[in-house]
Amino acid sequence: MSNIDYSVKIPNNVDLSGDRTLQRALESWQPNFIQWWDDVGPEGSTNHDVYLRTAVSVDPQGWAQFGYVKMRDYRWGIFLNPADQERAIHFGDHKGEKAWQEVPGEHRANLRRIIVTQGDTEPASVEQQRHLGLTAPSLYDLRNLFQVNVEEGRHLWAMVYLLHKYFGRDGREEAEALLERQSGDENNPRILGAFNEKTPDWLAFFMFTYFTDRDGKFQLAALAESAFDPLARTTKFMLTEEAHHMFVGESGVSRVLQRTCQVMNELKTDDVAKLRVAGVIDLPTIQRYLNFHYSVTIDLFGADQSSNAATFYSSGLKGRYEEGKRSDDHALHDQRYKVLEVVDGKLQEKEVPMLNALNEVLRDDYIKDSNAGVGRWNKVMEKAGIDFRLIIPHKAFNRQIGALAGVRMSPDGRPVTEQEWQTRKDEWLASDADRAFVASLMQRCLAPGKFAGWIAPPVMGINRQPVDFDYVRFN
Amino acid sequence: MSTTTMIENGILNQHLIDPEICIRCNTCEATCPIGAITHDDTNYVVMADQCNGCMDCISPCPTGSIDNWRKVPVAEAYSLADQFGWEALPPELPPERLAAAALSSDAAGSAEVEDLSQAQAAIAAVAGLASNAGETREAEFRSAAFGATVPPWSAAHAYTNLYGPRNPVSAAVVGNINCTEAGFDNETHHIVLDFGAMPFPVLEGQSIAIIPPGVDANGRPHVARQYSIASARNGERPGYNNVALTVKRVMQDHEGQPVRGVASNYLCDLKVGDAVQVIGPFGHSFLMPNHPRSHIVMICTGTGSAPMRAMTEWRRRLRKSGKFDGGKLMLFFGARTPQELPYFGPLQNLPKDFIDNNFAFSRVAGIPKRYVQDVIRERAIDLAELLRDDNTHIYVCGLKSMEEGVVLALRDVIVQAELNWENVAAKLKQQGRLHLETY
């Protein structure tokens, strides 16, 4: 049993010390969490002093405190955005009623499922990324990886808090199970497919944090609309942290592109072989990584038609992205939405009730947001005068979930035969050879201000520190 | 909360987001306590007329893109449309360009309304945004925190930003007289502009801006200069589409060095029949109450008298029609000498039971210097009686240096009256009953 002083070690704004039941529940969960962190958290990092951002309260001054912290001692806080006692449910069949402060019995199972599914992704990504520290291209990147790791850990705490506080014994069991499942474990894998994929190299990590953490943004944004007020307030605060993860991905890929373009211009070549010899990642390989991570991530939104999604919305459990900014009736009973289906080997659009297509609505919002960032990546090539543009593959490309699952489709949305798929899939998705090449570049580079040859330095440091700041100290 | 100075000498330190670094994560928009950040499908941007430089958004930003600033002349603030269209931040303006703009602002001196709220209105006009004139947000100056950002409940609806710098309206000069005693320094003109058939609805307390013709030393068009309206809503001449301004001719800068204010001299030299380019109107909170039991306390110096004249005149016209018998007017008016006090003659001719005039002169030979706050304290008993009444509204307009002293004097009056300053001040602010407009 831990004798941790929660008021000091666990910054929180949920009156932990005033709720003995909750405190006891977390006291018994906490050592298992630390054990999990030690077992499958960032490898070999226990003694590092890392320049981390820590939240000590939810106000702008409190949640971005920077300083050197050992990750194991990170102040995993439990934070909810401030409560609005008058908050009303603003969508679904309960629209206009007061938001729930407790879990309504009839929605208990669904809410628990939503929270467990979200919670399961948080430790999963830490597990997926645990070896990356050994091949960090710079101290700056190492620090960013660790920041992502500890915040995923805090997000796990946030979901575990909800499970313990509002779901009794069931919740405690689910919280335990979050530490028992493991990414990629054949017998007890993580709930969602993308979180069982490997993140073996830094290009994959950047793609993951760009695409998959962006899925996190959209899922959290939809949950931040929830009628269950504690969930809404928790996820709203989590969103502010998710931003850093997306930043790591977006700026990371951008820096890889920048470095590749620089070498392309120096060598005056776009020959993949020559560029690989020069130690940079060629642009077609980056496109193939993008195709993979994008298509795996859009599967996370679930089936394009889902009665669960309709139930979650109508009952007020999960809204749409920026629900409050939309001008429709927020009930959606009479509205329709277009989804894709394959008929006789051809893609076509089909109108279905919007309530059943809410996964698709959220996926489409995500696609728009993702695409905008890819446009910003393309500016790197544009500026360098290189005639190559990254493209988001077609929505139906390489899908494993929903009506498009298993449909063989080229990245530009052309149905292809199984034979063509097998022949060309290495053209479209990162192949073993691509991954082996990228892996060959992954050498640790840890002198302050130095960067591995395949990535450009960032535009600016973290928290206005210089780029050559001593972001991680090894003891 | 740390703050940054937003406007100094007519130069805005404009808060911008670097679109090349920003990842559009929404953290800044979610963090900003006053809703000054917004976005479209392309960019996240800061609304120049809203941002108060509180810096709350800075540390939560994961990218550092939020911490970007550009110095620009207030009237040339980057608009939302500009920012939405950016792929990269614009380069810094050359120092000589800023120096010219600052000089022009300085030269214009106190004749021109240059406080933060008015500047924000000018920014709003340029940026094509809703105006926030009348809001006082400069956190460095504590007294400003007590100013209301909402109009009195009975204020008439104000039109704002009908004409921007890209589509100014032309007005004709129909009057231009010196309203201070001739031959004295700091001559102040009462200028009447007529808009003919062009719509230009205004209310007392609002302002307009004038674009001086020609170009500055660097060959750039002069920036617009803002002036409070000195006439009542139905015109300087009732029933005509005109407004009056109170313009001080600036002949020296704040250090006493000789310099000619560009806009003020242009306006003071205008002849009847000349055409003037006008933008505005600006301001939607420094507005007068209109319910018959409302009292108005006016505290001003110099050309800060313009909005007070406007309100007084509107009340005078209404009084003639039998309204506002119960509503009292109390004026505290400061100037260096009686001769320099705009509208001194006409003010003294107003009936004593209509307006309670209190003058303070700071440069009269042989008499100790008196400032408006001294007179406020002298009239503490009468003021306290008004302050106990929720129908009382207070307006302060004049040099920035007066603001703190005036608010402190008001606090003394309230404390002496055994009222709770915090409660009264909070109520005055919430109910749109204390308005500060200083420059």
Side-chain angles (χ1 to χ4, degrees), chain A residues 212-233:
Chain A
T212 310
D213 281 315
R214 190 172 303 273
D215 159 73
K217 165 185 166 178
F218 279 81
Q219 299 293 352
L220 292 173
L223 294 178
E225 309 283 346
S226 180
F228 179 44
D229 202 41
L231 176 62
R233 290 164 55 206

Side-chain angles (χ1 to χ4, degrees), chain A residues 2 25 78 86 92 106 127 129 159 166 172 177 185 194 197 253 282 302 311 353 369 456:
Chain A
S2 160
I78 301 169
E86 298 306 311
E106 68 270 33
E127 292 161 3
Q129 296 157 11
M159 293 295 110
Y166 296 99
R172 289 196 294 277
D185 186 327
E197 299 287 350
V253 173
D282 53 282
T311 306
D369 199 48

Side-chain angles (χ1 to χ4, degrees), chain A residues 53 60-61 63-64 66 214 217 239-240 243-244 246-248 250-251 321-322 325 368-369 372 376 379 382-383 459-464, chain B residues 1-2 19-27 29-31 39 41-42 44 54-65 67-68 87:
Chain A
R53 180 181 68 181
Q61 284 72 42
W63 82 268
F66 285 86
R214 190 172 303 273
K217 165 185 166 178
L239 271 168
T240 55
H244 177 261
M246 292 186 291
F247 157 69
V248 169
E250 181 164 335
S251 60
Y321 176 65
E322 299 195 321
K325 293 186 182 171
K368 194 171 156 196
D369 199 48
R376 294 193 287 277
K379 295 268 189 277
E382 201 177 309
K383 268 190 178 173
V459 180
M460 62 174 75
I462 294 295
N463 190 31
R464 288 171 278 178
Chain B
M1 182 179 78
S2 60
E20 283 190 290
I21 304 175
C22 170
I23 60 164
R24 287 73 173 167
C25 69
N26 202 57
T27 305
E29 190 174 320
T31 306
H39 69 275
D41 286 342
T42 316
Y44 273 73
C54 75
M55 309 292 274
D56 276 359
C57 58
I58 300 297
S59 62
C61 170
T63 68
S65 61
D67 196 11
N68 279 285
E87 291 181 356

